[in-house]
Amino acid sequence: MISATRLEAATAAVTVLSNRPDVAGWALRYFGAWWHATPVDPSGVWADAVVIADVQPAVHEAVTRLVHDGRPTVEVDYAKHPLLLAHDGEDIIATSPEEGIAYRSTPSSGRLVLAGTDAQPLALAAARLAREAIRGQLLRDGWAVLHSSAVVRPDDGATLLTFGDKGAGKTTTALLLASHGWQLLANDRVLVRPAGERDVEVVPWPSAAALGLGLLHSLGWDVTAQEHLRAGGSFHPTQHQSVTEALLAGDHTPLWENAKRERKVQVFPDQFPDLFDVPLATGGRAAGLLFPQVDADAAPDVVDGTRTLRECDFMSGATEDRYPDVFGLAQGVDGGGRESVRAEVAARLAVLPHRVVRLSHDVPASVAVLSKVADTI
């Protein structure tokens, strides 16, 4: 029996179909309210862009043989897995040995077919490519991608965009505000488009959120996470087992994979409202830019600063190293949006209020500063 989940974001839509209900259900859970995910009757969606993801070992083997039958191939890293790519006529075909998944993409029709040997990796891959299909449609329709977290004021849709390098506090800023009256739109990136004469429309980019153990503890969420696990719940499967063990033990000491990469709690989008009482937003209008600086020992405050939007604050094909558009879903448009769109968005954001804020591990004091700044925008 075929199951189907339809996703809609702004002007884009895609449907995930599968012979396994847990695969289509994964997309329903993962995108949820952020992208208006709904179960639909699979018989009426064939004219849409579709991602067909079936557990079909025989089809997986057949496509894998095609990739290896002497065609020119290219190996790339995609979602942390090696992927071997080739062409079969106009189609792009690929195989991922580690995931046990074979792919066939027809860019001209927006049709993607995945055949896997196991439901769990297939569900992750189908959701990932459904998201990329939405991104491709939106990029072609005049949207761009910002490397930013975002929160929305529910009264008027005013959206605060938070920028900064890795570790600057983008996620922290968004979660602190979303825990105190704002709605969470995105934790790491957003889709934006010029609207009207001066506005910038913002919609979410759904993804699992990576929260350090220390941040989870500072927010007071570690006990809830521990109780969730002890009751048989789980977090996103990309979460390292050592993080799960630390949560169960009540240990919030940061864990490091190496000197630069912290192992973090991987929170599903739907777990923000369900576990942590953080409401989600489905869209908004850019109203201000925040540039946080985290100093554990300093008093939180608004500080002098000249930080403005930079080219690196936009995503691009060059920086999208984890999810390059190997399946041609954007049909030649850069992964961060057309240059003209990025330039227009940058010009419109440049005239909005900019605030540099210093945050610390004192959560109430940091919230007070952020709330004060937010009230002035």
Side-chain angles (χ1 to χ4, degrees), residues 47-63:
D48 292 340
V50 294
V51 175
I52 302 169
D54 291 337
V55 176
Q56 286 189 323
V59 176
H60 165 264
E61 183 179 349
V63 176

Side-chain angles (χ1 to χ4, degrees), residues 145-149 162-166 168 170 188-190 289 291 307-320 334 336 342-343 346 349:
V145 185
L146 283 173
H147 189 197
S148 164
S149 69
T162 302
F163 298 90
D165 298 330
K166 186 177 179 63
K170 295 189 298 296
D188 186 63
R189 66 179 73 181
V190 293
L289 284 64
F291 302 95
R307 174 75 158 85
T308 58
L309 202 65
R310 302 184 301 217
E311 181 63 28
C312 64
D313 293 317
F314 285 89
M315 300 303 296
S316 71
T319 59
E320 194 59 273
D334 182 84
R342 296 199 300 267
L349 293 181

Side-chain angles (χ1 to χ4, degrees), residues 271-313:
Q271 289 176 325
F272 282 115
D274 293 349
L275 286 182
F276 304 123
D277 200 27
V278 170
L280 303 181
T282 59
R285 169 189 51 80
L289 284 64
L290 300 178
F291 302 95
Q293 303 169 354
V294 177
D295 188 330
D297 301 319
D301 203 353
V302 180
V303 299
D304 294 332
T306 58
R307 174 75 158 85
T308 58
L309 202 65
R310 302 184 301 217
E311 181 63 28
C312 64
D313 293 317

Side-chain angles (χ1 to χ4, degrees), residues 68-97:
H68 288 285
D69 73 350
R71 303 162 192 268
T73 58
V74 176
E75 183 173 322
V76 299
D77 286 329
Y78 190 81
K80 296 185 176 180
H81 296 288
L83 189 69
L84 192 63
L85 291 151
H87 281 82
D88 183 31
E90 70 167 312
D91 289 356
I92 300 166
I93 56 176
T95 184
S96 174

Side-chain angles (χ1 to χ4, degrees), residues 96-358:
S96 174
E98 290 183 358
E99 298 173 290
I101 301 173
Y103 302 81
R104 179 179 290 274
S105 172
T106 308
S108 61
S109 67
R111 180 185 173 94
L112 274 158
V113 179
L114 286 67
T117 58
D118 183 68
Q120 176 70 30
L122 185 65
L124 270 67
R128 185 165 57 233
L129 286 176
R131 187 175 59 190
E132 292 301 312
I134 292 278
R135 187 228 290 258
Q137 292 178 49
L138 292 178
L139 293 177
R140 300 196 306 273
D141 201 29
W143 293 75
V145 185
L146 283 173
H147 189 197
S148 164
S149 69
V151 291
V152 175
R153 187 161 53 206
D155 293 343
D156 59 3
T159 302
L160 295 179
L161 301 168
T162 302
F163 298 90
D165 298 330
K166 186 177 179 63
K170 295 189 298 296
T171 298
T172 299
T173 298
L175 294 181
L176 289 176
L177 284 169
S179 299
H180 292 80
W182 292 66
Q183 297 174 332
L184 181 65
L185 185 74
N187 67 285
D188 186 63
R189 66 179 73 181
V190 293
L191 289 143
V192 290
R193 179 178 68 169
E197 294 184 1
R198 292 174 295 181
D199 288 342
V200 174
E201 185 179 359
V202 189
V203 298
W205 173 262
S207 67
L211 310 184
L213 288 165
L215 174 58
L216 201 77
H217 176 69
S218 297
L219 291 166
W221 295 354
D222 51 333
V223 174
T224 300
Q226 181 187 66
E227 292 174 348
H228 173 66
L229 291 172
R230 287 181 174 175
S234 62
F235 290 99
H236 195 276
T238 56
Q239 179 171 297
H240 196 274
Q241 180 61 27
S242 63
V243 176
T244 301
E245 292 170 356
L247 286 172
L248 287 169
D251 184 358
H252 55 268
T253 306
L255 296 172
W256 298 92
E257 187 170 318
N258 50 50
K260 297 181 179 180
R261 183 178 180 84
E262 184 181 358
R263 289 175 176 166
K264 298 184 178 183
V265 182
Q266 303 291 328
V267 180
F268 277 105
D270 70 341
Q271 289 176 325
F272 282 115
D274 293 349
L275 286 182
F276 304 123
D277 200 27
V278 170
L280 303 181
T282 59
R285 169 189 51 80
L289 284 64
L290 300 178
F291 302 95
Q293 303 169 354
V294 177
D295 188 330
D297 301 319
D301 203 353
V302 180
V303 299
D304 294 332
T306 58
R307 174 75 158 85
T308 58
L309 202 65
R310 302 184 301 217
E311 181 63 28
C312 64
D313 293 317
F314 285 89
M315 300 303 296
S316 71
T319 59
E320 194 59 273
D321 54 348
R322 188 172 180 181
Y323 305 116
D325 188 20
V326 294
F327 294 109
L329 301 175
Q331 298 183 22
V333 179
D334 182 84
R338 294 186 177 90
E339 184 177 348
S340 59
V341 175
R342 296 199 300 267
E344 180 62 23
V345 167
R348 295 186 181 202
L349 293 181
V351 301
L352 298 179
H354 290 46
R355 302 287 188 271
V356 180
V357 291
R358 183 174 61 226

